[in-house]
Amino acid sequence: MKIGELAQVAQCTVETVRYYEKENLLPAPARTAGNFRVYGPEHVDRLRFIRNCRALDMSQEEIHALLRLTDQPAEGCGAINAVFDQHMAHVDERIRELVQLRQQLASLRQRCQTEQAVDACGILQGLAAMQTEVRPERHTHLG
């Protein structure tokens, strides 16, 4: 199949297919005499795998690791478990960060309970008075 057909079957864009090829997540396809890309069922399977990993918010590094492990079917799956355990740890940390953010937002929201003039708005006053901390490195593996 051609690149447009692959993209349609995998429910993504042609640009996504090209990007994954460029990032070596998707193997380079064969070429026709006219230099058109020709994709097979293995490309569909791999692209779906990649897209499913991305739907789980996995990084390219994690996807590369899983693909390397997939290419070694006789090996044990302990390394796959390790990739998932690490990813879940990143998710847990991000959840903690988001809970803290939610608490900060709720605290600011409590400062303005009734409709009033903008210059008397407790939220705006709170934002202006907030002491911003030096933000620690964000706990995300996505960059």
Side-chain angles (χ1 to χ4, degrees), residues 19 37-38 43-44 46 59 71 74 77 92 95 109 131 138:
Y19 176 76
R37 294 175 170 102
V38 179
H43 290 96
V44 174
R46 187 100 162 195
S59 68
D71 292 338
C77 65
D92 289 340
I95 288 169
R109 180 61 180 94
Q131 295 294 319
R138 201 170 144 214

Side-chain angles (χ1 to χ4, degrees), residues 31-42:
R31 298 271 184 166
T32 66
N35 205 29
F36 288 102
R37 294 175 170 102
V38 179
Y39 298 90
E42 67 281 0

